[in-house]
Amino acid sequence: MALTERPASWKFEIEMPEMGNPDSITVLSAEPGKESLEAIFYDGQVFEFTKSLSVSAEARWAGNDVSVSVFVETAFSSSCSRCLAPSDIEIMNDFMYLYSLRKNEASGENTEEDDFQVVPVSRWTRFLDISDQVWESVILSLPRQVLCSKDCKGLCPLCGKSLNEGKCGCSPDTLDPRFKKLLGVRIEEKRE
């Protein structure tokens, strides 16, 4: 499965702070409609929204660039990677982006910008489109491995019973028949 693309209906724009005023701050608070919250396919997992997505953003000048902090909050349901039971996942994360007219030039020096993801823009307009960065923030907040609990025991490899519900009747000495041929393999060590 490939990564789901950003829904076209996701449109997040924040008004630019007053030009040249370092004290000027603009804010955005938005929740996309339920119809735009379809399941997300990511890294072989399906994430179903169980709570609406809440997006908050704040923009301010940082020298000649605009610094935008994006906060996303929502909840998903997905299958546990070990036992396949439905698992609830809450995300609450914030990300920083630096919108800049300058080209992203690599330099060997550490600067304040190292804490930001730099987003190049061609010109300043009244509103700054942060839709792609909101989508990126949601995707980066998803776990790479979903677990129903940190001590999930998974499934029995022989009978498939969830070991979280107790032991199954399978003998621990029982070998998966697909691996029996490996018992006859001998590995010789080369000595120099």
Side-chain angles (χ1 to χ4, degrees), residues 64-68 70 95-105 113 116-124 128-134 136-137:
N64 293 326
D65 304 320
V66 176
S67 165
V68 178
V70 176
F95 297 86
M96 298 292 286
Y97 295 94
L98 188 69
Y99 293 79
S100 177
L101 291 175
R102 295 175 285 142
K103 291 190 177 180
N104 194 0
E105 300 170 2
E113 296 174 13
F116 295 87
Q117 172 69 32
V118 177
V119 180
V121 292
S122 59
R123 62 187 175 95
W124 297 125
L128 197 56
D129 186 354
I130 62 170
S131 306
D132 287 337
Q133 288 66 49
V134 170
E136 178 180 89
S137 299

Side-chain angles (χ1 to χ4, degrees), residues 10-168:
W10 279 35
K11 194 71 171 165
F12 298 97
E13 293 182 328
I14 189 167
E15 190 169 4
M16 285 286 290
E18 182 185 335
M19 189 71 91
N21 182 352
D23 298 325
S24 177
I25 298 172
T26 57
V27 295
L28 167 73
S29 183
E31 287 190 19
K34 280 283 195 188
E35 67 281 351
S36 65
L37 299 179
E38 299 174 8
I40 296 175
F41 298 101
Y42 172 68
D43 203 27
Q45 293 277 121
V46 178
F47 295 89
E48 296 277 349
F49 282 92
T50 58
K51 179 181 171 185
S52 63
L53 172 66
S54 175
V55 177
S56 300
E58 190 175 275
R60 67 182 73 213
W61 285 100
N64 293 326
D65 304 320
V66 176
S67 165
V68 178
S69 60
V70 176
F71 178 77
V72 292
E73 180 180 4
T74 191
F76 295 98
S77 179
S78 189
S79 298
C80 175
S81 298
R82 292 183 188 162
C83 72
L84 304 178
S87 304
D88 294 326
I89 303 142
E90 283 195 35
I91 62 169
M92 292 173 45
N93 277 327
D94 57 300
F95 297 86
M96 298 292 286
Y97 295 94
L98 188 69
Y99 293 79
S100 177
L101 291 175
R102 295 175 285 142
K103 291 190 177 180
N104 194 0
E105 300 170 2
S107 69
E109 303 173 18
N110 286 342
T111 65
E112 291 178 24
E113 296 174 13
D114 291 343
D115 295 335
F116 295 87
Q117 172 69 32
V118 177
V119 180
V121 292
S122 59
R123 62 187 175 95
W124 297 125
T125 59
R126 182 171 176 214
F127 289 93
L128 197 56
D129 186 354
I130 62 170
S131 306
D132 287 337
Q133 288 66 49
V134 170
W135 177 249
E136 178 180 89
S137 299
V138 170
I139 297 301
L140 290 175
S141 298
L142 296 175
R144 299 227 10 132
Q145 182 181 40
V146 176
L147 295 176
C148 59
S149 68
K150 64 181 177 182
D151 57 345
C152 176
K153 296 176 181 150
L155 301 174
C156 171
L158 298 173
C159 70
K161 178 183 176 185
S162 174
L163 299 175
N164 296 323
E165 299 169 3
K167 293 185 177 185
C168 62

